[in-house]
Amino acid sequence: MPPKQKKPTNENEEVEEPFQAVILTDSFQDQFLPISHELPRCLMPLCNIPLIEYTLELLATVDIFEVLIVCTTHIDTIKNYFENSDWMKPNSRLSVKIVPTPECMSVGDAIRELDARQLISSDFILTSGELLSNIKLEKVLEEHRARKKTDKNSIMTMVLKEASRTHTARAKDDNSVFVLDPITNQCVYYESVVSLPRKHRMEVSPEIFENRPQIEFRNDLVDPYLDICSVEVPALFTENFDWQRLRADFVHGILTSDILGKTIYTELVREPYVARVQNEQLYSTVSNHMLNRWSFPIVPETNLKAGDDYEFTRGNIYKSTNVVLSRSCLIDENVQIGSNTIIGENTRIGNSVIGNNCTIGDNVVLNGVFLWDNVSIGDNCTIEKSIIAHHVDILENTTVAQGCLVSLNVTIGPDAKIPKYSRLSLFPQPKSSAFAESSDEEEEDEERHQVLHGDHEPVYFWTIRSDDDEVDVRNMKLGSLAYDFSDLVLKDGDITDSASEVGESDDDDDDIGSINGSWALETSMAKKTDEFKKEISQTIERSINENHTVYTAALEVTGLRMSSNGSYTDIREVMIPIIFDHIDRNNTIQSTKTVLTKWSALIGKMTHSAEDQLHVLQILQRHSTLHEHLAKVFSISLQFLYNADVLEEEAIQKWFHTDLSKSNSNEIKVRERAVKFIEWLEEAEEESEEESEESDEE
């Protein structure tokens, strides 16, 4: 049953009506095609859970008496899903109602339809079926209620997430400028900004500065489209029939109207995780955030879906208990593997999510891949940074390059090479517009009939395009999966402003990273990495000098890594030299024992895979060539790291017997100091084998 409304504690207190919630399952945009042509976006799995489940879990944490799920496309699919879900059972935490709106063409149409049917009877939460958050929503609702008591014209509170210019949670294809009163958090102006072409200026009314001692222009806010709306909002949409978009039309219209006199406020949050999977780029980003536990407690081992049994292990690996892994397969960090999945020999998987009931053959490489349920990958396949939808078969010796989307039930291969950014479906791409010119139609027909043939049903290639003339397709490409900026075609004025418009251009204008703050050049990323390494260096130095526990130091380092989206590779490159630099050159052997007895555990916490171990060995060897006293205790250092389970014998042997340890003459000299330790390892292995044979004979 739905939660009961709160009763007043005395006769004079007003009853606070519980909120309704409206979930829009359609964005009325063209992302995720061709998959979204066959499956509603709200039911696409994120870390093997349908997206809308995360939205409903958030709503279930507060006092909501009814959830209206408004769907325009895939209505029967959404109905069938909920009819078989726990949300429709009598003991459900929410009262869910499906609202079909098949005639709607925009968000504005959907909200006007709710008003026409008189379905909104109280203030309500308005969001999409693509929201994931661990925010404590009750506080936001209370502030919205309190604000309405002091400002009768308040009709909306927008929840916005503060994020730096280069934060990975920011969409690369569009951004927004919010002009706020920092004292009251009132939004006094809003303008939507796309990445391309670059917007050179923004015009605001001088009236917004009246009676306000301070105004902030904010372009550092992520908008997850999580709004608390008053009951008046649907009626305002009805009165203004030309408002189609929630932000660009409704919010902008309210804030620039001289007649309506309504106000909109913001709730700025920094710590809670709030994200909307509005495009393919953010699908990948949010998935990785979850695997890296940014969204805790919303992580795979929470097992939101009945029947899930994920377990969390070192290196951010999440495995269901009934997974079959071959002995020689290699699972790198940031990987989730669903139930009943089988992984073959010599297969390597990293930074990927594998669905349920998948079969992955031998000698397969998956990097940054999202396999949904019931996918089969043949032997000797390589897939990079792609989404492979339900029931896809990829036959042996097939290569899928980065940025591909393979829709439901498609079969490709064998021996196929799928170029990057390909979009494959069993259905041909529909014509973009009934009003296209004949030359455009000919080009479209040529694109639509690009077909992949083989011993399977024909597979059609789709292209990124838009029916809206105001939409620059390049922005859609920026928001697509794993898009490489070097493949983007820039036009005059995209990057730099003309001197006639805004005066002399400076060096900063030449940086592509200045385009609306939504994406940055490699130089910007290099600067960000340098800043991250500097912070890690300071943290480890302080931990050693102040004699922190390894646990405390690891917690600080992990927090920095997650907040900066840094890598373990960068951490090890900074950490290992710092730790070994604390070895006293005047008492080298004893100091080595003292330092490594404590701090080798910290190196271990940042070292997960066999490749990581090889990286540790190379850093230590390279650093030892620079300091003679460290070269002298190189063998002792290896012994300590081996005994502390930071390094395994297999990695040490591989390093020693390959070119990894022979890059130059100085490193070869250091390598020679490890000979005795290697001999000891080999002798210990032989003794172990002899003891095993004797035991077998007995």
Side-chain angles (χ1 to χ4, degrees), residues 149-389:
K149 292 177 181 177
T150 58
D151 182 358
K152 299 298 183 183
N153 292 317
S154 171
I155 60 167
M156 177 185 280
T157 300
M158 299 182 291
V159 178
L160 304 173
K161 165 82 172 173
E162 293 182 295
S164 65
R165 190 170 78 98
T166 56
H167 196 284
T168 55
R170 295 173 69 95
K172 294 178 181 177
D173 53 346
D174 64 50
N175 221 319
S176 300
V177 175
F178 295 87
V179 183
L180 308 180
D181 182 335
I183 299 173
T184 63
N185 279 341
Q186 182 180 345
C187 183
V188 296
Y189 185 78
Y190 167 87
E191 188 149 334
S192 177
V193 180
V194 295
S195 294
L196 293 171
R198 183 178 180 184
K199 193 176 183 68
H200 300 301
R201 63 181 65 205
M202 186 175 74
E203 296 181 3
V204 297
S205 170
E207 294 179 2
I208 68 172
F209 299 98
E210 294 179 2
N211 303 318
R212 292 189 175 91
Q214 189 176 353
I215 286 291
E216 291 182 348
F217 286 75
R218 302 291 296 267
N219 191 30
D220 62 337
L221 302 173
V222 173
D223 185 359
Y225 282 68
L226 174 58
D227 303 326
I228 319 301
C229 302
S230 84
V231 71
E232 303 168 63
V233 166
L236 287 168
F237 267 98
T238 300
E239 292 168 9
N240 298 271
F241 61 88
D242 57 335
W243 286 353
Q244 306 299 331
R245 297 166 294 182
L246 185 59
R247 292 289 185 262
D249 292 333
F250 176 76
V251 172
H252 182 82
I254 291 291
L255 298 179
T256 55
S257 172
D258 296 327
I259 300 172
L260 295 173
K262 302 299 181 182
T263 55
I264 296 176
Y265 290 83
T266 60
E267 180 73 22
L268 305 185
V269 298
R270 179 181 291 273
E271 294 301 325
Y273 187 85
V274 188
R276 174 183 170 231
V277 184
Q278 68 189 64
N279 58 32
E280 300 143 29
Q281 168 233 330
L282 288 177
Y283 178 90
S284 174
T285 297
V286 174
S287 296
N288 280 292
H289 286 176
M290 186 179 290
L291 295 179
N292 279 279
R293 311 180 72 73
W294 290 27
S295 55
F296 188 87
I298 306 172
V299 287
E301 80 269 21
T302 305
N303 295 317
L304 290 179
K305 191 168 65 175
D308 281 354
D309 54 359
Y310 290 103
E311 294 179 352
F312 171 59
T313 57
R314 182 177 176 180
N316 295 331
I317 295 174
Y318 306 83
K319 289 189 296 186
S320 183
T321 55
N322 55 346
V323 169
V324 178
L325 303 180
S326 66
R327 293 176 63 87
S328 60
C329 74
L330 184 59
I331 308 299
D332 291 335
E333 62 185 39
N334 301 326
V335 173
Q336 180 180 357
I337 306 174
S339 63
N340 297 313
T341 288
I342 301 172
I343 299 176
E345 300 288 346
N346 299 312
T347 286
R348 181 164 192 170
I349 302 174
N351 298 302
S352 299
V353 177
I354 312 300
N356 302 312
N357 307 307
C358 292
T359 302
I360 301 171
D362 300 338
N363 305 307
V364 173
V365 177
L366 303 179
N367 178 37
V369 177
F370 303 95
L371 298 189
W372 295 358
D373 294 344
N374 302 293
V375 172
S376 174
I377 309 292
D379 297 342
N380 306 307
C381 290
T382 299
I383 308 177
E384 291 280 341
K385 299 177 181 176
S386 296
I387 298 175
I388 313 297

Side-chain angles (χ1 to χ4, degrees), residues 10 64 99 117 309 383 494 509 525-526 551 572 615 666 693 696:
N10 58 64
I64 292 177
V99 182
R117 300 186 193 182
D309 54 359
I383 308 177
D494 282 337
D509 285 334
M525 298 305 294
Y551 175 81
R572 291 191 296 270
H615 188 229
N666 290 330
E693 289 174 1
D696 292 341

Side-chain angles (χ1 to χ4, degrees), residues 375-411:
V375 172
S376 174
I377 309 292
D379 297 342
N380 306 307
C381 290
T382 299
I383 308 177
E384 291 280 341
K385 299 177 181 176
S386 296
I387 298 175
I388 313 297
H390 301 308
H391 301 282
V392 168
D393 287 338
I394 298 181
L395 305 181
E396 62 271 10
N397 303 311
T398 295
T399 299
V400 180
Q402 71 182 51
C404 292
L405 273 68
V406 183
S407 195
L408 284 68
N409 302 303
V410 165
T411 299

